[in-house]
Amino acid sequence: MLPNIYAILRQNATVLSLVSTRIYRHGSAPQNVEKPYITWFMVFGMPELQISGTPDSDMDTIQVDIWSDTDQGVESLAYAARSAFDNAGYAARIVQALREAETRIYRISLEVDIIQSR
C-alpha cells in the first residue's frame, strides 16, 4: 500500500536532474510550479488474497503524470521515469500523451503496477 514513488523516481539521475524535488502526490502540483514536474496518484490498490491467512502483499496501480512546457521535454522526462521504474523491477505503460487544452502544457501519463510485500 502506498509505494514510495518519490524514492523510485529520484534514483534515476536524469529524473533527478530534470525535476529535483518537484514530484507531487495526489495528482496535483502547487500553482505556478516550475516545469517540468511529475505528479502521481493511486488508481487502484488490492491485497493479494489467499485462503491460508492474511494477505502478504499488495498490488497497486499508480498513475504517474509527466508535465513539461515542451514536447521534447515531456518525452525526455517520460523516458527517464520509465527507466526508473524498469530499474526498480516495475513495468510502466503509457496511457495517454496529450497537450492540455487550457494550459497548453504537454503531459504523458504512465501506469505502473507495483507488487510489494507487506
Side-chain angles (χ1 to χ4, degrees):
M1 187 167 98
L2 299 177
N4 195 342
I5 301 301
Y6 187 80
I8 293 169
L9 288 169
R10 286 184 48 93
Q11 288 178 4
N12 180 283
T14 303
V15 171
L16 186 59
S17 72
L18 291 173
V19 300
S20 182
T21 59
R22 295 185 308 277
I23 300 171
Y24 305 99
R25 195 170 140 192
H26 304 298
S28 65
Q31 188 73 19
N32 299 318
V33 67
E34 180 184 345
K35 295 164 200 71
Y37 63 90
I38 296 173
T39 59
W40 71 274
F41 63 93
M42 183 178 287
V43 175
F44 180 78
M46 186 175 110
E48 292 292 317
L49 301 176
Q50 54 181 325
I51 296 173
S52 63
T54 305
D56 60 358
S57 63
D58 294 305
M59 202 283 281
D60 302 313
T61 299
I62 307 300
Q63 181 168 319
V64 177
D65 294 312
I66 315 298
W67 304 87
S68 181
D69 282 331
T70 67
D71 185 41
Q72 180 181 0
V74 76
E75 187 174 305
S76 295
L77 185 52
Y79 275 110
R82 182 181 69 177
S83 179
F85 289 113
D86 286 348
N87 291 337
Y90 307 115
R93 61 190 168 272
I94 293 179
V95 292
Q96 66 181 350
L98 51 86
R99 190 171 188 192
E100 297 287 317
E102 291 181 28
T103 63
R104 307 304 292 160
I105 299 172
Y106 292 91
R107 174 172 60 154
I108 293 178
S109 299
L110 306 174
E111 267 189 3
V112 184
D113 293 326
I114 296 178
I115 299 174
Q116 59 185 357
S117 298
R118 288 186 169 194

